[in-house]
Structures are given as C-alpha cells and as structure tokens.
Amino acid sequence: MICTGKTFPQTQFDSLFYTQPVQPVNRIFTTFDKQLNTYYLNAGFDYFGSIPRFQFNVNQNFRSTLVKTGTNSIRDEQHLLISGKYSLINELKPGLDVKSNILSDDRSFGINQTAVNQATAFSEMHLADNFILKPYGGYSNNSQVGEEDNGPLYGIEGTAKNLYLQDLYLSSKLKFENEDISPRKNTIRLFNLAVNNIFNPYVDNLIGSGFNQSRKDFYFNADSITSSQFNVTNNIESRTETIYFILDRLNYNRFLDIFSLEIFGRLNWRDIDRDTRYSSTDVQSGSVFDTDIEELSIALESSVYYKAEIIDAAIRINYLERDEKHVTKRFAGIDESFYEQRSELESRKNNNSGRIILSLFGNVYLSRFDRLGLSFYHSKLKYDTPNTDNDDDRDEILSIIRMRYSRFLSPFFEAFINAEATSSHIVYIFASRSANNYRNQVLRLATGGHYRGTVISSKNNFEVSANYTVYDFEDLTSGLRSISFRQFTATDSTQWKFTGTFSFLLNAYITLTDQGDLNWDEFAERSTRYLREILLDPKFGLTFDAVFLAIGMRYFSLETFNYQGLTRIPDTDFSSIGPLTEIIIGSSSLHLRLLGWYEFISANDVPDTERTNLLAEVNWKF
C-alpha cells in the first residue's frame, strides 16, 4: 500500500479565495421538496463560457425553507457570483468579479437580515509555472439588521503549487484583504507554507506551517444606557480569530519491506478576541467586560499499513490534547468587584482534555468467495476543569468491535452476517455529578443478502439490536432507573423485470421497538412502551430509453402501545395511504425526477385529513 505525503496543510475550500479552482460544468438545477408542513426549494445555475482571450462564469443559487405552523417561518438565502477575465498575454489576465449574498429569516434571533454586495477588479498574474499572484480592489455594500455600510474592498492573493527547489517541493497560499465599511471593518490575513522533501521513491517528509487571522464586525442591539450615551441603536462587536500551526508528516513505504508507516504531528495555537465598540462606565455590571479565548492543542498520530494477497490490515494510534483558557479583559472605570465576578464566571469555562485512540481494521480473504472483515476502535477521554466551582470533570471510555463475514453463494447472490458490540462508560469525578455516571451497552446482529439477476434483483437486511443504559448509582426510590431499548428491523428493496420495459419495484421496512426500565444487577426489565412502524412503497414502472415512469401506492403506519403488566394497551395509531407516482429522466446531460404522493391520513382522536407531498429535482448540464 503506497501512501503519499503530497498534501497541503489546511486545503479545505475557502469561498473567500478568488483563485479557487472550479469545475467548468454548465448546468441548471432545482430541487423542490414538500413533506408534512415543510417546503424546501433549492434552485440555481452555473454557466461557464469563453471566446478568444475572454473567459467568464456565472454562479447563482437560491435556497428557501418554509415551515407552516401556527406562525409560518421562512428562511431565504441568495448567492450570486459573476466573474470574467481577459487574457492580454498568457502571464496577465485582468478581470472583474461581482458577488452578492443575501440572507433573510423572519425569526427574531441573532443576525436574521443581512446582505453583502461586492464588485472588484483584479489582475491575475502568472509569474511562473504554478505561481499566481492576484491583486484586487473594489467596493463593498454591507447591510446588517437595518444598518447599511459602504466602503472600499482591496487585497491580494497568491498561490504556489509544487515549486521545485533543490530536491524540495514548495506549496504556499497567501491572502491579505481589508473591507473598510465604516464604522465596521473586516480583515483577512492568511499565509500557509508546505515543504515536501522526497528522499527516495518510498520516503518523503512534509513540513507545514501557517498563520490565519480573520476579523469580523457584527451589529447587536445596544442597551438603553449605551444607546443614549453614544447615540447609537446597535452596538458593534469585533471578533478576531488568530490561528498559528506547524505540522510534520513522514511517510515511509515498504517499511521493513512489507509495511507502510505514517507518522504525523501538529501543534496548533488559536486565540479568539472579542471587543465591544461602545462600552459605558455607567453600566456597572459584569456584562460590560470583553473576553478572550486562548487554545493550545497538539495532535500526534502513527499508522502502520500491511497488504498481502490474502490480508490487508492497519493499526492507528492517535493522541490529542487541548487546553482552553477564558480570560476577562479589564475595563477602566468599572468597579473591581464586577471584574472579579466576571473573571470567576469565565474561569469556570477553562478546561483541558486529553484523548487517546487506538483503532485496528482489516480484511481476510478466505477464498475467492469468502471475506472476513474485522475492526476495533477504542477511545479514552480525560476532561478536567481547573476551577473548583466547575464539576464537569469526567472520564469517558468508548469501545466498538465489529465483524462482518460475506460470501458469494453464486455469481449472482452475496450473503453476509454482521455482528457489532459497543460499550461506553462516562464517569464524573465529583460527587455532585456522579448520579449521572452510566454505562451504555449496544449489541447488533444483522444478516441479509444481495441478489443480482437478469429478472429479479433484491437487497434484504434483517437486524436485531439491544441497547442497555445502566446508571452506576440507581435511584433508590424507584428501584428501576436504567433503561433498555430493543429493536428489530427488516428492510427489503426488490425489482422484478417482467419484460425489458415493464417492472415491479418494492421498497419496504418494518420496525418493532420495545422500551423499558432495567434492573441490570438482576438483568430484569419492565416494558413500558412498544412501537410498530411499517412502510410499503410498491409500484409498477415502465422504462423507455432514458425515461422511467412509475405508479403505485405508499402506505405508512405507526402504532404505539403502553404496558399494563405484560399486556399491551394501544396508545396512538397513525396511518396514511395513497397513490404515488414517479417520473425520472436521466441521461449524461439531464437528470429530472418527480416524486409525488397523496395521503389519506387517519389518527386516533383526530379528524381524518388529506395531504399532498412532492419532490422535484432537475439537473441539466449543457
């Protein structure tokens, strides 16, 4: 098994980068989903085009969610990007970007109304192979909770990929940006550097480091004293997050000729600084103080891989440690007692944690038709809080072991058996929380198969599971506090082709659930609730080239029962039945799916109702 180290630290997609690579796919897409009282719409298009020396792209996406309850709730999001560049020469490409992001949420919490509109001119300069520098500047309009701010936006980006320098491969990323939308200011400072040294075809070492700082200013409602003193309706909070990191990754393939070895380490320091623009000394309370969060973390990982003709396996050890400190910043003019109160409250959030993880996984190929898969995961967390008033100190242990055996009984039928056991234990250190100490044991056993024939194809799964939650200290007044949760689930997905164009399809499942109180010492339980859930989705379909048409029925039932002794007493009964239709058009350029069903709903003590459900998806590549 060959493991490559040619990775770049923190290569996650960042929408703030102009130079992010995008796939040039022209498409129109939309999804509409209506179920119960929730309506969801996602629609948009991506268009890329070019003429001699000129390239452009337009990306638009609109998402809306409507929840109909006593008071309707609507959330809308709109994202638009228009970008174009002209190639004067291969090394210089000036262009223009226009961006618009709008959020509207009728729920009154946090920042529920915001709009950001930006227009920037840029110059993309290819200084060398895989080395791009892109200065830009423009104008930004930013609206937030009724406040509208405008100002210049300017910065520079740079990327370098696999630059060769004396047996070293260098990759780097740079971004500097200021958005001066007075009275607010947003900034980005980012620099990452990765150096990969390939000693030979089997050994390489990657060293990376980085700095990332972003500042965002937000409006929030000012209190009456601050509003009157500074003549403002909304106050401003500045949140500045700063991250430094350094990492090292060593890959050693053909270690001892039969193994692959990977060693990884990362040191990360993060600081989150909060500042309030308008603070009044007339507000004599602890709420006037700003805070700072300092976090230091270290991650170590070692992995060994082995691959042979009849077996492949890996073992991995991870160690993670993190220390977090909350600091209250002083504010002149406020009584010292309020500072001490706030400092005490913030210090209760201080914590340090350490986690060690051991995982093993592998496959044994017993024969051409038999495979045995094994995996094991074990984790231990130690969580400490230095403040004596914080009693959240705890230890957590989690272990998972899984075994799966599969066999091809014929070229058309694969059968499997899967067994899994999970054990976890949470122990709070202090007596004030020790009543919450508990163990959780989960056992699962599943079997099933997958048959692939020319006429019939079917996938079936049958699973039984038992979940036991046992408290270390039982409630003496009730005698039974621990709980049990047992479940049986059977699923079926079958297609029967009568002819080349006419077929029958079935998707179905049944779930039986029993909940109860548990006495672990005597392994005795008292059932308290029983649930039976059934879904049937049979339909007949016609297939013509890239078109699939289906009509059928959808049936859903959920029954719940309480217990009186050993006797089940019906509690609730919900069922729905109705016609279903589905249309799918699929080709290399067009995917269209319409799924709708009409429900006749009956439930005890509730008048019968009717409801329409619809799912519509369109994705057209052109």
Side-chain angles (χ1 to χ4, degrees):
M1 183 176 187
I2 304 299
C3 302
T4 177
K6 292 184 179 180
T7 57
F8 190 85
Q10 289 194 340
T11 55
Q12 70 269 22
F13 179 81
D14 185 354
S15 61
L16 299 176
F17 267 81
Y18 291 90
T19 54
Q20 283 291 338
V22 291
Q23 296 297 325
V25 177
N26 295 328
R27 63 172 185 151
I28 298 175
F29 60 91
T30 182
T31 299
F32 175 77
D33 189 3
K34 187 263 180 193
Q35 294 191 41
L36 300 177
N37 297 320
T38 301
Y39 299 74
Y40 173 74
L41 174 66
N42 181 20
F45 65 89
D46 300 320
Y47 183 70
F48 300 80
S50 64
I51 56 178
R53 293 188 174 274
F54 182 69
Q55 296 178 339
F56 67 92
N57 65 277
V58 182
N59 310 100
Q60 186 273 337
N61 187 212
F62 174 75
R63 294 190 292 267
S64 179
T65 303
L66 167 64
V67 180
K68 284 191 172 182
T69 55
T71 57
N72 293 344
S73 172
I74 303 176
R75 177 184 175 89
D76 294 332
E77 296 178 67
Q78 169 73 34
H79 304 278
L80 175 65
L81 168 64
I82 302 175
S83 179
K85 59 184 177 181
Y86 181 79
S87 180
L88 293 175
I89 56 177
N90 291 335
E91 293 77 19
L92 181 61
K93 300 177 181 180
L96 179 68
D97 280 331
V98 177
K99 294 182 180 180
S100 176
N101 297 302
I102 301 173
L103 168 67
S104 176
D105 195 324
D106 62 0
R107 292 175 292 183
S108 300
F109 68 95
I111 301 175
N112 61 348
Q113 302 287 335
T114 180
V116 179
N117 300 295
Q118 300 174 346
T120 57
F122 63 85
S123 180
E124 184 178 295
M125 297 180 290
H126 295 252
L127 304 181
D129 291 340
N130 298 325
F131 184 24
I132 302 175
L133 202 61
K134 192 171 183 178
Y136 58 90
Y139 190 76
S140 178
N141 172 269
N142 196 310
S143 176
Q144 194 178 101
V145 293
E147 302 272 3
E148 185 168 324
D149 303 319
N150 305 280
L153 171 71
Y154 54 93
I156 187 171
E157 293 178 4
T159 59
K161 296 181 180 179
N162 293 327
L163 299 180
Y164 183 72
L165 180 64
Q166 295 183 346
D167 297 329
L168 300 177
Y169 290 90
L170 277 68
S171 296
S172 183
K173 184 176 291 185
L174 165 73
K175 185 178 180 71
F176 175 93
E177 179 178 288
N178 280 349
E179 186 181 14
D180 296 321
I181 46 174
S182 180
R184 293 189 293 141
K185 184 174 183 177
N186 300 321
T187 64
I188 298 174
R189 309 285 187 266
L190 183 146
F191 178 74
N192 289 346
L193 175 65
V195 180
N196 194 15
N197 187 0
I198 301 177
F199 298 100
N200 58 55
Y202 309 113
V203 180
D204 65 83
N205 186 42
L206 174 75
I207 297 176
S209 63
F211 165 77
N212 186 358
Q213 184 181 82
S214 62
R215 169 182 167 175
K216 295 293 182 183
D217 287 358
F218 305 94
Y219 283 112
F220 66 96
N221 291 332
D223 60 79
S224 58
I225 296 177
T226 303
S227 178
S228 174
Q229 182 174 341
F230 296 96
N231 192 29
V232 295
T233 302
N234 294 305
N235 208 334
I236 298 175
E237 177 184 293
S238 296
R239 183 185 186 275
T240 303
E241 180 177 10
T242 305
I243 298 174
Y244 298 91
F245 74 87
I246 184 171
L247 62 84
D248 189 7
R249 184 190 301 274
L250 173 66
N251 289 317
Y252 190 171
N253 296 305
R254 296 194 179 180
F255 175 66
L256 299 179
D257 292 331
I258 59 174
F259 298 105
S260 293
L261 174 67
E262 181 181 286
I263 300 175
F264 172 81
R266 176 180 174 121
L267 181 65
N268 198 90
W269 183 83
R270 184 174 73 147
D271 180 85
I272 300 176
D273 185 25
R274 291 185 174 91
D275 278 310
T276 302
R277 179 71 55 85
Y278 306 107
S279 297
S280 173
T281 55
D282 295 337
V283 182
Q284 291 290 320
S285 74
S287 63
V288 75
F289 295 99
D290 291 317
T291 61
D292 185 74
I293 303 175
E294 299 174 355
E295 178 185 289
L296 180 65
S297 62
I298 184 172
L300 301 173
E301 177 184 318
S302 179
S303 304
V304 178
Y305 304 89
Y306 173 77
K307 184 175 180 61
E309 184 176 352
I310 64 170
I311 187 172
D312 59 67
I315 179 171
R316 179 178 295 133
I317 300 176
N318 299 74
Y319 178 75
L320 310 169
E321 187 170 328
R322 181 175 65 90
D323 185 83
E324 183 179 291
K325 186 177 181 180
H326 295 250
V327 179
T328 302
K329 301 194 302 188
R330 291 186 176 275
F331 180 38
I334 303 298
D335 191 277
E336 184 70 13
S337 63
F338 292 114
Y339 171 77
E340 293 176 354
Q341 291 175 9
R342 182 62 183 270
S343 295
E344 172 63 21
L345 290 174
E346 289 298 316
S347 68
R348 295 181 186 181
K349 303 176 185 178
N350 295 345
N351 66 86
N352 54 74
S353 62
R355 183 188 294 273
I356 186 167
I357 301 172
L358 171 65
S359 56
L360 303 93
F361 51 91
N363 295 290
V364 180
Y365 302 91
L366 303 173
S367 70
R368 293 175 51 198
F369 310 106
D370 301 84
R371 184 174 70 174
L372 179 65
L374 298 168
S375 64
F376 174 74
Y377 174 92
H378 181 75
S379 167
K380 181 178 180 180
L381 168 69
K382 184 178 178 61
Y383 182 86
D384 293 324
T385 56
N387 193 293
T388 56
D389 292 327
N390 191 335
D391 59 357
D392 198 32
D393 296 46
R394 64 187 184 273
D395 292 341
E396 299 181 14
I397 294 178
L398 172 64
S399 300
I400 304 173
I401 186 169
R402 182 183 297 115
M403 180 177 66
R404 187 181 192 274
Y405 170 74
S406 61
R407 176 177 174 81
F408 281 92
L409 300 176
S410 75
F412 312 103
F413 182 60
E414 179 187 13
F416 73 89
I417 298 176
N418 186 81
E420 179 182 320
T422 301
S423 177
S424 63
H425 192 192
I426 297 181
V427 177
Y428 288 90
I429 307 303
F430 293 101
S432 56
R433 298 286 298 274
S434 61
N436 296 308
N437 296 355
Y438 71 88
R439 298 175 184 267
N440 182 245
Q441 318 283 347
V442 181
L443 301 174
R444 288 190 177 94
L445 180 63
T447 184
H450 188 189
Y451 177 78
R452 311 172 188 86
T454 56
V455 177
I456 297 178
S457 61
S458 182
K459 185 180 293 186
N460 309 98
N461 184 76
F462 305 90
E463 179 180 296
V464 291
S465 62
N467 188 326
Y468 302 104
T469 301
V470 183
Y471 288 87
D472 291 354
F473 305 101
E474 296 287 355
D475 187 348
L476 298 179
T477 59
S478 67
L480 287 172
R481 184 182 171 189
S482 301
I483 60 174
S484 66
F485 183 93
R486 297 178 299 169
Q487 190 173 79
F488 167 78
T489 302
T491 61
D492 176 79
S493 178
T494 299
Q495 181 178 9
W496 186 354
K497 295 183 179 179
F498 298 107
T499 67
T501 59
F502 183 55
S503 59
F504 172 77
L505 301 96
L506 173 66
N507 291 301
Y509 72 79
I510 179 170
T511 301
L512 307 176
T513 305
D514 187 89
Q515 303 173 2
D517 294 327
L518 175 68
N519 186 326
W520 182 257
D521 292 335
E522 300 179 7
F523 203 72
E525 58 183 321
R526 176 174 61 87
S527 296
T528 58
R529 191 167 177 80
Y530 181 83
L531 296 86
R532 180 166 57 223
E533 183 177 345
I534 301 173
L535 174 68
L536 296 174
D537 184 8
K539 54 194 173 187
F540 292 93
L542 291 173
T543 303
F544 302 99
D545 295 327
V547 180
F548 173 75
L549 306 174
I551 186 170
M553 179 191 74
R554 183 182 186 275
Y555 171 77
F556 176 77
S557 172
L558 175 61
E559 299 175 87
T560 66
F561 302 82
N562 295 321
Y563 277 89
Q564 185 174 337
L566 299 177
T567 305
R568 293 176 189 164
I569 307 300
D571 182 24
T572 63
D573 185 0
F574 175 93
S575 64
S576 71
I577 189 171
L580 173 148
T581 185
E582 183 174 16
I583 301 173
I584 298 177
I585 300 176
S587 67
S588 59
S589 60
L590 176 64
H591 170 78
L592 183 149
R593 185 186 182 212
L594 297 174
L595 174 63
W597 68 93
Y598 193 81
E599 293 181 289
F600 297 91
I601 300 172
S602 62
N604 54 340
D605 301 328
V606 177
D608 291 352
T609 58
E610 301 175 12
R611 183 184 294 132
T612 302
N613 300 276
L614 177 64
L615 170 65
E617 296 178 340
V618 177
N619 195 331
W620 178 29
K621 300 177 183 179
F622 57 93

